[in-house]
Amino acid sequence: TLEQNLTRQKWLDKALKIETVEGGMDLHFRSEQDAGGCLAYIKSHLPVNYKVSSQLISQNEKDNTCNVKTTHALIIPSICKDDLLLMHPKFCKQFGNCSPLLLCLKVTSQMYFLDPTTNRRIVITPTQFIGLEPYSDIYNFTHFGKTFTVLDN
């Protein structure tokens, strides 16, 4: 999971405050450099869309300095390997009339899907995917057991 990887790479040690919020978590860093490094690590391992906003906190005209609060808002799709998804018809048209039923093969900085009807692999960037939501998560592999029984005649 993301939290375990961030802990292993010592990014959570650099965070001043960690808050759990609905749908995610907030990480507060002391410096922009630490936040940027953590963001770069997450972007290299997960499909991420993000927005950056800055807010002026204080300004000293005598010293020509200012204190700025920078916020990086990350949007990470909640898709895992082996998830079975039912995609929106707009999505299917954009990717060459693929089947609306797709199997997620791999999630890195991009998402890799398999169209079971044509056996075609589809590679999707985070901006393509997030712009085309909603999708339906039909079968999430992590919610069910990993034991299968194959009945063959």
Side-chain angles (χ1 to χ4, degrees):
T1 64
L2 177 61
E3 293 88 355
Q4 291 171 343
N5 287 335
L6 291 175
T7 302
R8 253 186 260 135
Q9 297 299 321
K10 309 282 189 210
W11 286 114
L12 295 183
D13 295 342
K14 295 179 182 180
L16 293 175
K17 184 166 84 171
I18 301 170
E19 296 176 347
T20 303
V21 295
E22 185 179 335
M25 64 181 175
D26 287 344
L27 301 174
H28 301 270
F29 291 95
R30 183 178 313 272
S31 70
E32 174 103 23
Q33 189 175 26
D34 288 342
C38 184
L39 177 65
Y41 176 78
I42 292 171
K43 283 175 38 181
S44 69
H45 289 82
L46 293 172
V48 173
N49 266 357
Y50 68 97
K51 296 178 184 175
V52 179
S53 62
S54 298
Q55 179 182 8
L56 181 64
I57 302 297
S58 63
Q59 181 177 347
N60 186 344
E61 293 180 7
K62 291 180 183 178
D63 296 339
N64 199 22
T65 59
C66 61
N67 188 7
V68 178
K69 176 184 173 184
T70 305
T71 303
H72 299 270
L74 302 179
I75 302 168
I76 303 172
S78 60
I79 293 179
C80 299
K81 179 183 175 196
D82 297 327
D83 281 356
L84 187 61
L85 303 173
L86 180 63
M87 305 309 284
H88 194 275
K90 288 181 187 176
F91 179 91
C92 299
K93 285 181 184 177
Q94 182 175 349
F95 290 95
N97 290 326
C98 67
S99 168
L101 194 64
L102 295 177
L103 177 67
C104 182
L105 296 174
K106 182 177 169 183
V107 177
T108 59
S109 59
Q110 296 180 333
M111 293 171 282
Y112 299 85
F113 293 99
L114 175 69
D115 181 350
T117 57
T118 62
N119 206 21
R120 193 177 99 200
R121 287 177 168 59
I122 301 168
V123 180
I124 302 168
T125 64
T127 50
Q128 291 172 322
F129 187 80
I130 291 173
L132 292 170
E133 288 190 86
Y135 60 90
S136 298
D137 193 2
I138 293 177
Y139 180 80
N140 189 322
F141 193 69
T142 58
H143 292 307
F144 299 100
K146 295 182 181 180
T147 305
F148 296 96
T149 304
V150 177
L151 300 174
D152 192 16
N153 291 335

